[in-house]
Amino acid sequence: MKKLFLLLLTIGLLQGCTSGTDSPSTPTEQQKPPVAAEPETPASEPPATTQPPTTTQPPTTPEKPSTEQPAQQETVYANDIFRNVTVKKTDQDTFEIKGQASVFEAVLNYVVEDGHNELTQGSLQATTAAPNWGDFTHTLKVKKAEPNSTLTLILFETSMKDGSRRMELIIPLPE
């Protein structure tokens, strides 16, 4: 957490230094970079231009965006030993976890908690051990102890040195 804070602070300082370099220039030049930033947003629209061929099918166009929107809202989580991790609610109290891990002996562990109590825990097997990236998929069934609580999934690797949690990836489970 401290490393992330320091990284963000450093980026902010570097951006401030960059802005300071632009300050001797005229104010209109300072306004131009945001204009340049605006075309970058449309530059990210080529995937949208890839979508219109999909939308050329009139009957499926209204249905596909509505089914694709939840997929676009699906958040992907990662850290140094986990990547492309997604969690999807498949049924009441049931979640599907998918992703990749680079962990010792391809074993990753998880805990689901509600902020106060650990509700369930276990381990998963990835397809390949570190230093390679192995895929994993797991269906998790866990029920809230309190109706107003928020469930949190914590993926981690157990340290072979002292048994502690290593490289925790904290993921809020969808409601």
Side-chain angles (χ1 to χ4, degrees), residues 26-163:
T26 62
T28 56
E29 287 180 17
Q30 288 180 352
Q31 294 171 355
K32 287 181 185 178
V35 174
E38 290 174 14
E40 288 175 12
T41 306
S44 66
E45 290 182 67
T49 54
T50 345
Q51 291 175 353
T54 319
T55 59
T56 56
Q57 302 169 355
T60 57
T61 302
E63 295 172 337
K64 281 193 177 181
S66 64
T67 56
E68 289 178 9
Q69 285 176 353
Q72 291 173 353
Q73 293 175 355
E74 191 172 77
T75 305
V76 177
Y77 299 90
N79 65 12
D80 290 343
I81 63 170
F82 297 106
R83 69 179 185 190
N84 302 325
V85 179
T86 59
V87 178
K88 181 172 50 170
K89 187 170 186 171
T90 57
D91 198 8
Q92 183 176 348
D93 304 329
T94 307
F95 304 90
E96 182 180 53
I97 307 160
K98 290 183 179 182
Q100 295 179 317
S102 178
V103 291
F104 181 71
E105 293 185 351
V107 176
L108 58 131
N109 299 287
Y110 69 88
V111 170
V112 177
E113 60 181 39
D114 64 0
H116 300 287
N117 304 309
E118 290 185 0
L119 304 176
T120 188
Q121 61 184 3
S123 62
L124 308 173
Q125 189 78 33
T127 57
T128 306
N132 299 321
W133 290 94
D135 297 327
F136 66 89
T137 302
H138 183 66
T139 301
L140 178 66
K141 189 159 182 88
V142 61
K143 186 171 179 146
K144 290 183 177 182
E146 298 293 325
N148 292 333
S149 63
T150 301
L151 298 180
T152 303
L153 169 69
I154 304 171
L155 297 176
F156 60 94
E157 178 181 44
T158 301
S159 169
M160 293 297 115
K161 183 178 179 181
D162 60 7

